Amino acid sequence: MPLSERQLAAFADKHGGQIPFDTSPRHLAGPGDARHVTHGLAAAGWTRTSDPLSAEIILASPDHRHRLQFDPQSATSAWWRLRAEPGWYAEFGAFVPAEVLAGLTDALVAPTPAEPVGPLPGLEAAGWLVDGRGAADSNPPGCRVERRPAQDRGTVPWREAGRASWHVEVRDSPGAFARGPRLWHAFLDDAVPEHLVTAFVTALADTTPLQRGMFDPTARHGVVQEPSPLTPQQTVEAHLARVKDLRSQARAAHRQTKPPVPPARAATTQPAPRR
């Protein structure tokens, strides 16, 4: 079922009555509203295949090649799971900011860039500390992005065995050298298209604050909140404009992947039989 006006109105009703606070850095901003992800995919034609009365949400792409699962009752640390069939797998912890995950899902439904750029150059440009092993740390510390080599089966969880993968780990640290509890993680196997990994870490490293309500859950340490110059109505309008843009991008991507229609053959006239 496509995104309805009633669903958009429900989003506007919540955020239109909530005073926004600029919250940074992004990796400590808390989960926010999952509809930043689900509305974008619904606008691109993804449909819900799970029980409408269940807390679990499963969305499938129009071609049924991709599936997103959001399970806030999951017994594991991964509430979000994204699969391509056949192909690749990614998962994200409960505290991943929805706007950051939406950076990846928006890129998934948009046309693929002609020359994708790798994830690490963008992190370095954003002031992250990148070492020679393919790992990047936020500045100040708290978030690490790294590409790990393939691991032997039997020594790591099944999803990490057999090939390299990208890992993100965020900790709620009380000090620069303190290793606090893990807030959330992300795992993207090495088959995830590079432009999607780049889109995710680019959204993660973006210094633009995220908007959160006064009582929204965030990290305890290191997070900074200030009254936002944006009005509640402006935050709603930005969401609606993004949803509209994604609908257009998805249509463009569909035209990009649609096989060309072969030109019609000209009709040939058969010579009349001789008598």
Side-chain angles (χ1 to χ4, degrees):
M1 181 171 59
L3 189 61
S4 69
E5 292 300 322
R6 184 174 64 84
Q7 290 167 323
L8 291 173
F11 180 92
D13 183 61
K14 176 186 175 182
H15 292 275
Q18 179 175 273
I19 298 175
F21 283 78
D22 281 354
T23 306
S24 60
R26 288 188 162 204
H27 58 271
L28 301 178
D33 193 326
R35 288 175 291 188
H36 286 291
V37 176
T38 58
H39 277 193
L41 293 178
W46 289 45
T47 54
R48 180 167 184 163
T49 60
S50 52
D51 181 354
L53 299 181
S54 169
E56 180 186 35
I57 298 174
I58 299 176
L59 297 175
S61 61
D63 60 5
H64 300 288
R65 289 188 57 243
H66 299 96
R67 188 180 77 155
L68 177 75
Q69 178 188 21
F70 172 62
D71 185 4
Q73 297 177 333
S74 172
T76 72
S77 59
W79 283 18
W80 297 91
R81 292 181 171 86
L82 182 60
R83 292 178 173 86
E85 299 294 345
W88 50 264
Y89 171 81
E91 67 177 39
F92 308 86
F95 234 64
V96 60
E99 297 91 338
V100 173
L101 180 53
L104 187 155
T105 54
D106 288 1
L108 179 61
V109 301
T112 303
E115 298 181 4
V117 179
L120 294 180
L123 292 175
E124 194 166 24
W128 288 43
L129 307 176
V130 180
D131 65 23
R133 297 180 296 105
D137 287 288
S138 60
N139 185 22
C143 181
R144 164 164 278 224
V145 176
E146 62 179 324
R147 185 177 182 274
R148 297 178 184 173
Q151 303 290 315
D152 293 334
R153 297 185 184 276
T155 62
V156 294
W158 65 268
R159 64 182 182 277
E160 300 180 27
R163 56 188 178 188
S165 53
W166 286 93
H167 291 252
V168 179
E169 185 175 79
V170 177
R171 292 188 176 271
D172 191 358
S173 302
F177 300 101
R179 187 175 172 82
R182 189 173 78 171
L183 280 178
W184 60 272
H185 78 286
F187 167 85
L188 304 94
D189 76 35
D190 206 39
V192 175
E194 186 177 57
H195 75 281
L196 298 183
V197 181
T198 300
F200 180 75
V201 300
T202 299
L204 179 64
D206 191 342
T207 56
T208 305
L210 299 177
Q211 275 66 54
R212 294 289 182 265
M214 181 178 295
F215 301 109
D216 285 352
T218 66
R220 292 179 58 196
H221 305 285
V223 68
V224 177
Q225 286 193 294
E226 299 175 344
S228 176
L230 298 176
T231 66
Q233 186 58 34
Q234 285 175 317
T235 63
V236 171
E237 289 173 353
H239 180 74
L240 299 180
R242 172 176 155 264
V243 165
K244 182 179 179 180
D245 183 58
L246 280 171
R247 186 178 286 117
S248 299
Q249 289 190 57
R251 289 171 180 169
H254 178 69
R255 290 193 295 269
Q256 183 186 74
T257 57
K258 191 175 181 180
V261 178
R265 288 187 174 184
T268 56
T269 304
Q270 296 293 332
R274 293 185 179 182
R275 296 186 180 275

